[in-house]
Structure formats: C-alpha cells, structure tokens
C-alpha cells in the first residue's frame, strides 16, 4: 500500500480579511464577491465611496494613458493596504465568445502588483477565461476557495450561495427597473389623454456601472438630470439576457459584453425614452468605439455624449445637461430645431 501524497499547502489559508476596492467591476459583482468570501469564513473590507482625494492618489500612482476609472481603482486599492490581509484583484478575460471584458480587467492583478511593487501587497486572484481555457467564473471561484483551505465540496457550496445571492439582488434591480418603466408608461399614456397632465422626461443613462453609479464620476450627472425634473433610467439595470440578445441586431462582432448589454438595453428601450445620455470615463477604449457607433447608427432620439476626466469640473457638464433638457422640453412643446 503506497502512502498518500501530502496535500499541497493552501496559499491563502492564513488570510482572514480580504479588501475589495469599491471601483471597476465591484459595481457589477459586489454581491457575488462579498457573499462568496463570507461563505468561506473570510471577512470582507470594502474601500470607502469615491472622493476627490482617492482619485488624486490614484492619478499620482498611474500612467497618463490609464483611463479615469483605472486611476480611481488604484486610489481605492491604496486606501486598503493597511486595512486587510490581502486585496482581491480578479483577472477577468471573458465569459465566452463576444463576451469579453476590456483588457485592463485581465491585466489588473499585474497592474496592481507593479504599481505597489515597493510595498509588495498580498493579492488574492483568480482567472476567468471561458473562450480559450474554458475556465468559468464558477471554476475560478471554486479553485480560489480551495486555496483558502476549503474542501472542493465546501467551495462549491460557497459558490452556490454567492451565486444565489447575486441572482436575487439582480432580479430585485430588474423588478425595480420594470416598475419604474411601467410607471413612466402609465404617466405618458395619461398625459396623452389629458392636456392638463405632463409626462416626465425619460432619460436613459448609458454608461458602465462603475461610471454611472460612482459618487465621483456619475452621481453629479444623474443629480443634475433629476434636479431638472427628468426621470433617469440606467441601461445597466435592464434585463441583461434580453439586452445581450438584442445587441446582435446592432453588431454581430462587438467583443465586449458590458458594451453589448448597454447597447442592447438602449435598443429595447428606444421607444420608451425621450433622450439618451452617454457617459464615458476618459479615455475608455471600448467606449470610444461603441459610443461613436451608437451616435452614428441609432437614430430617432436626441443624444448627449459626456466624457468625464480627472481635470474636468462639474460646471461645464451641468451647462450641457441643462441645454440638453431645454432642447427636449422645447421639442415636446412643439418647437422645431433646424
């Protein structure tokens, strides 16, 4: 009887607290990530909401060519260095064909390691790459759980719990979106039947979640729209599966999954909205291509394209938003613009 080979050491077994920067894909996978770590007994610490000081720190740590969202991520990562045992920085390549993420998400672990090479932070990571290596999100997380010392059975159970929590959170968002859309439709129908009623302007904000929902990058734009009386809908909150399917009517080869979902949502909601606001973090590569294609190819609705960068203030953006809402209001009241 041959002796059993010793089990390989668990590289993450001594980690008790994991830090997650509140930036980039945190806005898409927050519930999945936090639920998984909590299910395997690891405490999660997230960085504080974005503020100017975090951006300035991230800007100082980054190359000029990095997009604003990446610079902000580095500021968030830096703020966690003394708060946890390790930082969770996944490598996200794709979820299959035509479901890729921007290359910065695949390179992010290396980017963090090289940025903070003097302090050598401990990084917890996993690779999600379905197209070439067939490594699904589930496979990646189960393997990562085993690196924390979990059995495969326990890692699978943690994954199932995290996936369920994430799906429930997503369904709640979609139900809230549908309820808001139904109310808009009801009010528009009522306004059409009565000259005394005025339907609210429905504005669709089309932006990556980490731009649209970030307090520093997107909140000011949304606040400005709402202060002018507009009802804001977020393309990211629409049903992802329906949006993804619809996106192929726009392009058969567009590689990026999030941009696909945003464009698909825009197409599905085109008849229900009065205007579209495209928001991008300078200089986002995927957005520079897709937003240009959207403005050229999707007609019939007024469209405002905004780019947020590290130097821009809010005054210029607010002026453009005010002008945009004025145009929509003028058109609704029967005005004609050449």
């Amino acid at each position: 009887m041959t002796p059993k080979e010793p089990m390989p050491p668990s590289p993450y077994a001594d980690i008790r607290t994991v830090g997650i920067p509140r930036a980039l894909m945190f806005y898409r996978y927050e519930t999945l990530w936090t639920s998984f770590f909590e299910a395997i007994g690891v405490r999660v610490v997230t960085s504080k909401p974005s503020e100017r000081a975090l951006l300035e720190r991230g800007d100082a740590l980054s190359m000029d060519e990095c997009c604003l969202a990446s610079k902000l991520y580095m500021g968030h990562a830096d703020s966690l260095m003394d708060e946890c045992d390790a930082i969770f920085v996944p490598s996200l390549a794709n979820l299959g064909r035509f479901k890729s993420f921007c290359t910065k998400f695949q390179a992010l672990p290396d980017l963090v390691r090289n940025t903070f090479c003097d302090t050598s932070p401990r990084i917890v990571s996993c690779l999600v790459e379905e197209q070439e290596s067939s490594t699904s999100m589930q496979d990646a997380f189960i393997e990562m759980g085993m690196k924390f010392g979990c059995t495969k059975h326990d890692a699978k159970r943690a994954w199932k719990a995290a996936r369920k929590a994430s799906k429930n959170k997503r369904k709640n968002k979609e139900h809230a979106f549908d309820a808001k859309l139904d109310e808009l439709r009801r009010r528009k129908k009522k306004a059409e039947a009565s000259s005394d009623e005025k339907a609210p302007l429905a504005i669709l904000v089309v932006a990556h979640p980490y731009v649209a929902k970030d307090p520093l990058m997107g909140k000011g734009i949304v606040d400005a729209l709402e202060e002018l009386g507009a009802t804001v809908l977020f393309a990211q909150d629409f049903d992802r599966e329906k949006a993804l399917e619809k996106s192929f009517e726009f392009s058969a080869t567009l590689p990026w999954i999030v941009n696909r979902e945003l464009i698909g949502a825009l197409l599905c909601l085109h008849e229900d909205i009065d205007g579209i606001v495209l928001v991008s973090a300078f200089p986002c590569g995927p957005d520079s291509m897709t937003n240009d294609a959207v403005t050229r190819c999707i007609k019939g609705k007024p469209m405002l394209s905004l780019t947020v960068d590290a130097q821009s203030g809010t005054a210029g953006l607010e002026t453009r938003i005010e002008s945009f809402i004025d145009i929509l209001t003028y058109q609704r009241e029967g005005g004609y613009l050449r």
Side-chain angles (χ1 to χ4, degrees):
M1 186 174 180
T2 56
K4 290 184 179 180
E5 293 185 7
M7 293 290 290
S10 304
Y12 302 153
D14 60 326
I15 295 174
R16 296 290 175 264
T17 306
V18 164
I20 303 181
R22 193 188 294 265
L24 294 181
M25 282 298 158
F26 173 86
Y27 285 94
R28 184 182 178 96
Y29 293 120
E30 173 191 1
T31 303
L32 181 73
W33 293 350
T34 56
S35 298
F36 180 81
F37 285 119
E38 288 168 358
I40 63 173
V42 176
R43 188 170 71 90
V44 174
V45 177
T46 56
S47 55
K48 295 178 181 179
S50 297
E51 57 184 13
R52 191 73 195 178
L54 282 176
L55 175 57
E56 290 173 355
R57 178 57 180 157
D59 191 20
L61 289 165
S62 303
M63 295 176 61
D64 291 341
E65 291 77 8
C66 290
C67 72
L68 180 67
S70 297
K71 292 177 180 179
L72 188 55
Y73 182 93
M74 290 303 166
H76 280 278
D78 182 59
S79 72
L80 288 168
M81 291 297 169
D82 299 324
E83 302 293 326
C84 50
D85 299 326
I87 298 175
F88 177 55
V89 189
S91 176
L92 305 176
N94 62 72
L95 301 178
R97 194 163 183 245
F98 303 129
K99 296 180 181 180
S100 297
F101 295 101
C102 174
T103 52
K104 68 171 173 277
F105 296 118
Q106 185 172 2
L108 202 55
D110 290 332
L111 188 59
V112 172
R113 286 190 187 97
N114 290 329
T115 300
F116 298 99
C117 57
D118 292 339
T119 55
S120 300
R122 198 163 177 194
I123 292 175
V124 169
S125 190
C126 62
L127 171 64
V128 179
E129 208 292 311
E130 291 194 27
Q131 189 170 348
E132 294 182 6
S133 63
S134 300
T135 305
S136 66
M137 187 84 73
Q138 175 177 328
D139 295 334
F141 271 72
I142 290 173
E143 182 182 350
M144 183 173 65
M146 293 171 68
K147 289 181 179 178
F148 276 91
C150 296
T151 65
K152 190 170 185 177
H153 173 77
D154 288 341
K156 281 184 177 180
R157 185 168 58 183
W159 165 257
K160 288 179 180 178
R163 183 179 59 181
K164 183 179 180 180
S166 182
K167 282 186 174 182
N168 289 341
K169 182 72 174 290
R170 184 66 199 173
K171 283 181 181 178
N172 289 339
K173 277 190 177 182
E174 290 173 358
H175 289 159
F177 181 94
D178 290 342
K180 194 172 185 179
L181 185 60
D182 287 342
E183 176 62 14
L184 270 172
R185 288 169 175 166
R186 186 191 68 78
R187 292 183 65 181
K188 282 191 175 183
K189 197 170 183 180
K190 190 176 179 181
E192 289 170 1
S194 172
S195 58
D196 296 330
E197 292 286 336
K198 281 191 175 182
L201 286 171
I203 303 298
L204 183 68
V205 172
V206 180
H208 288 269
Y210 52 81
V211 174
K213 294 296 180 77
D214 184 84
L216 197 61
M217 288 192 283
K219 188 176 185 299
I221 292 170
V222 175
D223 287 348
L225 288 167
E226 291 179 338
E227 286 170 7
L228 292 167
T231 297
V232 176
L233 298 171
F234 293 96
Q236 68 193 48
D237 291 338
F238 185 71
D239 187 302
R240 285 178 185 168
E241 291 183 5
K242 289 181 182 178
L244 189 61
E245 182 179 357
K246 189 73 172 177
S247 72
F248 284 90
E249 296 179 13
F250 180 82
S251 170
T253 57
L254 184 68
W256 306 292
I257 182 171
V258 178
N259 291 84
R260 272 199 173 278
E261 291 170 353
L262 294 173
I263 291 172
L266 194 166
L267 294 176
C268 289
L269 298 165
H270 194 265
E271 298 305 313
D272 293 299
I273 56 177
D274 298 297
I276 301 159
V277 177
L278 303 172
V279 188
S280 182
F282 180 82
C284 177
D287 282 0
S288 68
M289 296 183 66
T290 58
N291 287 2
D292 179 67
V294 165
T295 56
R296 286 187 292 105
C297 301
I298 299 181
K299 304 298 183 180
K301 299 291 178 180
M303 199 175 297
L304 174 65
S305 184
L306 300 174
T307 301
V308 185
D309 61 38
Q311 284 75 42
S312 64
T314 59
L317 295 178
E318 289 171 359
T319 300
R320 294 183 64 190
I321 291 167
E322 287 174 6
S323 299
F324 184 63
I325 295 298
D326 285 345
I327 290 170
L328 294 180
T329 304
Y330 185 73
Q331 286 183 328
R332 171 178 284 187
E333 292 175 354
Y336 175 72
L337 297 178
R338 290 185 180 275

